[in-house]
Amino acid sequence: MAIDTSMTWLIALYIFMLAAFTGYEVISRVPSILHTPLMSGSNFIHGIVVVGALHALISATSLFAQIVGFLAVALGAANAAGGYIVTDRMLAMFKTSGDKSTAGKKN
Amino acid sequence: MFAQHILGLSGLAAAAFFILGLKRMSSPATALSGIVVAGVGMVVAVAASFLVIFDLPDTVRPHLTINLILAVIALLIGGGWAWMRGRKVEMTAMPQMVALYNGMGGGAAAAVAAVELSARGMQAVEILAVTVAGALIGSISLTGSVIAWAKLDGKINRPWRFSGQRIVNALVFLTTVLLGVAVIAFFDDPLLPVLAVLFFLGALAFGIMMTLPIGGADMPVVISLFNAFTGLAVALEGYALQNPALMIAGMVVGSAGTLLTILMAKAMNRSLANVLFSNFGDAATSGTSEVQGQMKSTDARDAGIAMRYASNVIIIPGYGLAVAQGQQKLYEFVKLLQAAGVDVKFAIHPVAGRMPGHMNVLLAEAGVPYDIIFDMEDINADFASTDVALVIGANDVVNPAARTDKSSPIYGMPILNADQAHQVYVIKRGQGKGYSGVENLLFYGENCSMVYGDAQAVLTQMVQAVKDLGA
């Protein structure tokens, strides 16, 4: 493994607990109008699995590991790239009346 | 040594960027910058992960060149395909696209687990158990999400149900879990590949079987649940790989996704267990009280002119509006009303559209500013002092039976109080019932007039009627 400090299961549980509370806190303040983009945004974030997939593929020593690792990287990259572009497109459409005043009021 | 530290710090930076990004997504004003911040984190983490080449055991050296070439090709194929699809997909089709990308993430986590198991390098039981658990959840998320995508995309049209289905599903799940335990127990046994293959097949099959009986209306809740599943699978594989960035990002999504799932189910007045294990579509047709009164219909032009001379109008859009592609026309009508001095607001039910917030996205696409769009809690008190409520392609979310009729399957569901407005216009394709299959008492009210027709066509007539007044 890259970092030469082995993580004990107890430290892992600490990390999981803190991350779980973080996720809960961040989401609980989101207005419902942003729920769909937010689901898509969190979908993008678990695209980080591509990093694990890259590690698995780059350190592969068997044909099986190469094939399945290739699949993992392709799927993970699709998760990350697709999640990003879809979220970005949705969020780019949110505007206030202020932004629209030039287009809206002149009719 | 230096490369190791960079790699470790890049993971830390990515985790920080993700949390900051999610936080910024919590307000419409900063939301767009939120996804960009998270995107920066992702690019940093992916670029840095190539640094692992400085820290590989010698056994990998002969394969390194091929592995790197494969990695770049896989990144380009997967990322490129998803990017192209994501750029072109229609806004109405967004939920199923999210489902598909989510399933791919789950598949990636399961595939990582398969590689880890095949390497046979690790022996610690807790790491093995975590790897297997991540593989199980990731595989279920993969096939379940694909089924959810197919259902929302209209590729599978009806729920697939048979008697005793729950028992069969439970048996498949139990068998899969036992196979997973066997994989851990017989890890050094020559039988391992057979056990592992059976285990993965079982998990993939269960994902399909648990999703097939669930009706299309419940799919958003299910997609959100699978989103949380994938996050959890990624977190578990992160521990198997001893990678804190995956653990943090995965668990943040896992808990946030679970909360979001519960919020969605609550907005539909159902528990999560109810969504997953009861076949809603079947039971819902029964249990309605006798309806009093008669439906009245009116002309689109008359309704349009009445709204032009109202002092305030609240519009309640539903998925039917999006199906008719009427959002642009609606906003054109709204601008005409605003120009005539009418106070126009939009009222959004939590489950309008296909998932919470979906209707906001569809309206935003048409250019409707979000500061005239209100959530149910913020606007429900205003209906009693409102001249006109205009319901477009929505049904169950304005049915007063949810407040009064205890025998109704939607009893207790929070609704928009459209029936309290002085006048209600309902634009509707025909006399059919809503998703729940319940008669809508609102439509029979004294103050309600139906305007039958395709939402876009009706709105076009309304726009024309108001324009003719000014000409």
Side-chain angles (χ1 to χ4, degrees), chain B residues 213-234:
Chain B
I214 301 172
D218 286 331
M219 272 308 130
V221 179
V222 176
I223 292 173
S224 178
L225 181 70
F226 286 140
N227 189 39
F229 272 20
T230 302
L232 202 57
V234 171

Side-chain angles (χ1 to χ4, degrees), chain B residues 111-449:
Chain B
V112 169
V115 174
E116 291 299 303
L117 289 175
S118 80
R120 294 194 177 213
M122 49 197 184
Q123 301 296 335
V125 173
E126 91 261 10
I127 291 199
L128 268 181
V130 166
T131 309
V132 168
L136 174 66
I137 300 170
S139 301
I140 292 173
S141 178
L142 167 63
T143 50
S145 296
V146 169
I147 297 295
W149 164 78
K151 286 198 172 205
L152 282 179
D153 217 42
K155 294 194 164 50
I156 300 177
N157 282 322
R158 56 179 57 192
W160 181 72
R161 292 165 186 158
F162 56 85
S163 57
Q165 189 163 23
R166 256 177 270 175
I167 297 164
V168 173
N169 284 4
L171 283 177
V172 171
F173 183 71
L174 211 64
T175 313
T176 306
V177 170
L178 286 177
L179 281 166
V181 173
V183 166
I184 301 166
F186 297 100
F187 192 64
D188 292 322
D189 201 273
L191 261 177
L192 177 70
V194 180
L195 288 173
V197 167
L198 288 175
F199 162 71
F200 275 102
L201 287 179
L204 293 170
F206 180 71
I208 296 174
M209 294 175 71
M210 78 171 269
T211 318
L212 274 177
I214 301 172
D218 286 331
M219 272 308 130
V221 179
V222 176
I223 292 173
S224 178
L225 181 70
F226 286 140
N227 189 39
F229 272 20
T230 302
L232 202 57
V234 171
L236 293 174
E237 295 314 322
Y239 179 59
L241 293 166
Q242 299 274 296
N243 186 325
L246 263 70
M247 294 167 64
I248 293 172
M251 192 51 84
V252 165
V253 175
S255 79
T258 305
L259 177 61
L260 203 56
T261 310
I262 292 169
L263 288 178
M264 276 192 208
K266 216 181 257 172
M268 298 165 86
N269 192 35
R270 328 214 4 229
S271 72
L272 190 53
N274 195 245
V275 169
L276 292 178
F277 302 119
S278 84
N279 301 335
F280 187 45
D282 285 351
T285 42
S286 62
T288 54
S289 58
E290 240 356 85
V291 192
Q292 305 282 317
Q294 223 174 349
M295 285 201 220
K296 300 185 293 289
S297 73
T298 188
D299 180 62
R301 297 179 61 91
D302 293 347
I305 290 166
M307 280 182 269
R308 157 70 179 75
Y309 290 107
S311 63
N312 48 6
V313 172
I314 296 179
I315 298 173
I316 299 157
Y319 192 67
L321 173 70
V323 171
Q325 297 284 320
Q327 305 97 296
Q328 303 279 353
K329 246 328 169 216
L330 176 61
Y331 188 43
E332 190 185 338
F333 182 59
V334 168
K335 282 191 287 193
L336 279 174
L337 293 182
Q338 284 176 327
V342 182
D343 178 24
V344 184
K345 289 173 186 164
F346 284 84
I348 309 284
H349 191 270
V351 293
R354 277 294 175 266
M355 29 186 202
H358 191 201
M359 186 50 65
N360 302 79
V361 172
L362 295 171
L363 290 176
E365 186 189 22
V368 179
Y370 64 76
D371 48 5
I372 63 169
I373 300 177
F374 295 88
D375 287 345
M376 183 172 67
E377 312 86 72
D378 298 330
I379 202 164
N380 245 354
D382 295 356
F383 278 104
S385 57
T386 295
D387 288 343
V388 179
L390 174 63
V391 180
I392 309 173
N395 193 340
D396 294 331
V397 299
V398 291
N399 190 347
R403 278 200 305 262
T404 54
D405 181 2
K406 283 200 172 121
S407 68
S408 173
I410 61 169
Y411 177 73
M413 182 173 90
I415 60 156
L416 287 160
N417 300 328
D419 57 319
Q420 295 173 356
H422 302 156
Q423 172 67 46
V424 183
Y425 291 112
V426 179
I427 302 179
K428 206 166 168 303
R429 291 178 62 88
Q431 303 199 345
K433 295 167 186 171
Y435 242 134
S436 68
V438 182
E439 282 288 358
N440 194 332
L441 298 181
L442 172 72
F443 301 165
Y444 296 91
E446 283 287 314
N447 57 345
C448 179
S449 293

